Amino acid sequence: MATSFTLTDNTFSTPRHTTHYWEAGPVGGPLMIFLHGWPEIGLVWRAQMETFASEGWRCIAPDMRGYGGSSAPSVPEAYAMKEIVDDMVELHDHLGASPAIWVGHDLGSPVAAALAAHHAKRSRGVVLISVPYVPDAFALPNLLPLIDRKLYPFDQYPDGQWDYYRFYLTNFDQTISDFDADIRASLAAIFRSGNPDSVGKVYRSAIITRNGGWFGPDHHAPAVQPDLALWPQADSDALVDAFRVTGFRPGNSWYLNDSANIAYAHAAPNGGHLRQPVLFINGEFDGLCDITHNRSGEGMISACQDLTVVNLPSGHWLPLERKAEVTEAVRSWLKTKAL
């Protein structure tokens, strides 16, 4: 009979960084480390952690640099990929450094992949969710060539669905002030379930510059109720409380280091090729990264020696929208690959 585990929180510090992390499962169990993306905290993984912990895994979900209870440096260059990977190396050492299964969602996915590329012995398997691996780095110059120009003609949408990324680079302070104007409303507006009717249509992230920001001339999010089917109430409240402390500046600063991140990616051994088994879980109506309707998965397909792709009917927030299906996809892959 499976043992039930609840999440406990811990903090680990080195001279360079403090990581707050959530933990569940037996201390002696094999490591599974979950890396969240923007704008999340470690609690985004609650459903997956509770299940895998009950099956004998030691599950760890840090608040990534700039989020929750972890360090949030003020300078943008502190959020370069190498710094974030080094945080995870320190955490991994603290946890005993046995080779782990690394699971990443959204901007946590490039971290899991970069760690596997630069520190291969720390990773015996990689799960990437929503954002595919870009071996040359998840950076705007590398994303632009992969845009579907039938959907996004260059003259109308030069940056395609990545227009929001461009807007961050050109209007960073405004973006932060717009998101911070009403933290609860911003997060409620961001975390919405995907819509299958959106497939093949211009995604909302493609018209941010045209609208003058995510929320247009209002410069604050509309008053919408949070989708409690995604975040349980207590976790939703914890997310809001965390962002009321940090604001959006630290998390958005991850986008400001393209040049450094490209250089770091190019320094990876073996050209960034991953020899570990890799699972990519794709949202079929994720207008940002769905690899079946654009070319965003090309680099991952060529760089991963042992790649499995699972498609799920979901938008971008897969660990929340498809809690049980994501867990089952990972479980099935672990069994198939004898991990």
Side-chain angles (χ1 to χ4, degrees):
M1 183 175 177
T3 303
S4 177
F5 286 92
T6 56
L7 272 60
T8 59
D9 68 308
N10 302 276
T11 300
F12 162 71
S13 294
T14 71
R16 59 177 292 281
H17 183 66
T18 293
T19 294
H20 173 264
Y21 64 95
W22 299 90
E23 179 169 6
V27 172
L31 269 177
M32 190 181 297
I33 304 176
F34 297 82
L35 310 183
H36 72 78
W38 180 95
E40 300 166 346
I41 55 176
L43 287 174
V44 71
W45 299 107
R46 176 185 293 279
Q48 291 79 25
M49 291 179 70
E50 289 178 346
T51 299
F52 282 112
S54 72
E55 296 173 4
W57 292 83
R58 184 186 185 190
C59 297
I60 305 291
D63 290 341
M64 304 299 284
R65 174 176 287 234
Y67 290 91
S70 296
S71 299
S74 59
V75 294
E77 53 267 30
Y79 298 92
M81 181 60 69
K82 184 180 186 303
E83 295 295 329
I84 297 163
V85 170
D86 286 350
D87 296 344
M88 296 301 100
V89 168
E90 290 183 342
L91 175 63
H92 190 228
D93 283 344
H94 170 68
L95 296 169
S98 62
I101 303 296
W102 295 81
V103 184
H105 173 247
D106 186 78
L107 292 187
S109 173
V111 180
L115 187 139
H118 286 268
H119 304 277
K121 292 182 179 179
R122 295 180 181 272
S123 172
R124 60 194 185 94
V126 188
V127 180
L128 309 177
I129 304 175
S130 301
V131 173
Y133 178 37
V134 182
D136 289 327
F138 180 88
L140 190 58
N142 297 331
L143 301 172
L144 298 182
L146 306 175
I147 292 169
D148 176 2
R149 288 302 177 189
K150 290 183 179 179
L151 180 58
Y152 297 109
F154 185 86
D155 60 335
Q156 298 178 54
Y157 304 98
D159 297 302
Q161 72 270 34
W162 304 107
D163 175 75
Y164 83 94
Y165 197 152
R166 178 74 68 190
F167 194 81
Y168 286 176
L169 299 177
T170 56
N171 296 270
F172 187 72
D173 287 339
Q174 183 210 314
T175 301
I176 300 308
S177 62
D178 287 1
F179 280 129
D180 284 352
D182 188 333
I183 294 287
R184 184 178 292 277
S186 292
L187 291 166
I190 290 165
F191 287 103
R192 314 308 296 181
S193 293
N195 180 0
D197 294 337
S198 68
V199 174
K201 298 176 183 175
V202 171
Y203 193 54
R204 61 179 182 166
S205 64
I207 56 174
I208 305 306
T209 300
R210 187 177 303 179
N211 289 344
W214 273 106
F215 309 123
D218 291 340
H219 295 296
H220 63 80
V224 294
Q225 290 300 309
D227 185 346
L228 297 182
L230 300 184
W231 290 91
Q233 184 68 64
D235 292 352
S236 177
D237 291 343
L239 178 71
V240 171
D241 289 344
F243 271 85
R244 283 180 173 157
V245 174
T246 64
F248 276 80
R249 182 175 295 273
N252 283 43
S253 294
W254 285 43
Y255 284 94
L256 301 182
N257 292 280
D258 279 359
S259 295
N261 292 346
I262 291 169
Y264 180 58
H266 288 172
N270 305 311
H273 281 68
L274 303 185
R275 296 194 173 99
Q276 308 93 327
V278 177
L279 170 64
F280 180 67
I281 306 179
N282 181 65
E284 292 176 330
F285 33 94
D286 179 351
L288 201 58
C289 307
D290 167 26
I291 66 171
T292 62
H293 291 95
N294 62 50
R295 298 168 50 209
S296 62
E298 287 184 0
M300 176 176 66
I301 291 167
S302 63
C304 295
Q305 181 174 304
D306 180 0
L307 175 66
T308 303
V309 175
V310 171
N311 291 288
L312 293 177
S314 178
H316 186 68
W317 310 112
L318 267 159
L320 297 172
E321 292 184 54
R322 297 291 173 183
K323 297 178 177 70
E325 293 93 330
V326 165
T327 302
E328 179 53 38
V330 176
R331 181 192 290 116
S332 175
W333 171 77
L334 290 168
K335 183 177 180 181
T336 299
K337 300 299 176 182
L339 294 169

